[in-house]
Amino acid sequence: MSEEQPKPPSSPPASAPKTQPPVSVARRHFLFTWLGFAWTGFAAATLAALSTCLRFMFPNVLFEPNPIFNAGKPDDYDIGKVDLRWKEKYAVWLVREPEGMYALSTVCTHLGCTPSWMESEQKFKCPCHGSGFYASGINFEGPAPRPLERYAIRLGEDGNIIVDKSRKFQQEKGEWNQPDSFLYL
Ligand code: FES
């Protein structure tokens, strides 16, 4: 009588996953992934802190033009005219009158736009909200609450006009009566 041979183990059911990693491998993979994230985050934070430190070592420096400039001789300016030659470079209009000159700021006193000089209408007109100023700088229309500001102006020893933008004169404070707010010629 022959003994029954042991049957070979039957093949796993088709529905069972074929390559499921052992639990310990999956756990290790999970761990490495999160370690990677953590190190990347740490490196990014360190770089950000380092770049902040470097910025403090090299602060932003604003090189602004000298607020004092030589505007040439009074005879270079026509009497009764608003002169535009310093508008772009220094944001200043020079106005020549029969008895002297003054330097007007080109900054609108409403919200800071730059008005344009309208020769035919003899006024400065602001393109932003329509404020109008006479050649003197006095506001007369639109929302601007006060006149344009004037800068200090004087004659240098060589007879040239010196404009000093670091000193301002406001009409509403009675400062247009102060010396240097107007250059008598
Ligand atoms: Fe000039 Fe508003 S900024 S009218």
Side-chain angles (χ1 to χ4, degrees), residues 108 110-113 126 128-131 143-144:
C108 178
H110 178 223
L111 291 176
C113 290
C126 186
C128 293
H129 313 96
S131 288

Side-chain angles (χ1 to χ4, degrees), residues 6 15 19 30 57 62 69 113 119 136-137 185:
S15 61
T19 55
F30 173 81
M57 291 171 74
L62 252 181
F69 68 95
C113 290
E119 181 67 29
S136 63
L185 296 167

Side-chain angles (χ1 to χ4, degrees), residues 139-179:
N139 53 314
F140 68 94
E141 65 180 352
R146 59 192 182 85
L148 297 173
E149 293 175 350
R150 293 186 182 184
Y151 293 122
I153 185 169
R154 62 184 166 83
L155 266 193
E157 287 179 2
D158 56 0
N160 284 321
I161 302 161
I162 306 296
V163 178
D164 181 358
K165 289 182 64 187
S166 67
R167 293 173 59 213
K168 287 195 268 188
F169 300 94
Q170 293 178 228
Q171 188 270 349
E172 69 276 16
K173 293 181 179 174
E175 294 173 344
W176 284 8
N177 296 326
Q178 292 183 14

Side-chain angles (χ1 to χ4, degrees), residues 8 12 15 22 39 46-47 54 74 86 88 105 118 135 158-159 183 185:
S15 61
W39 273 109
T46 307
L47 268 178
L54 281 174
W86 306 111
E88 294 301 323
S105 161
M118 321 288 283
D158 56 0
L183 171 63
L185 296 167

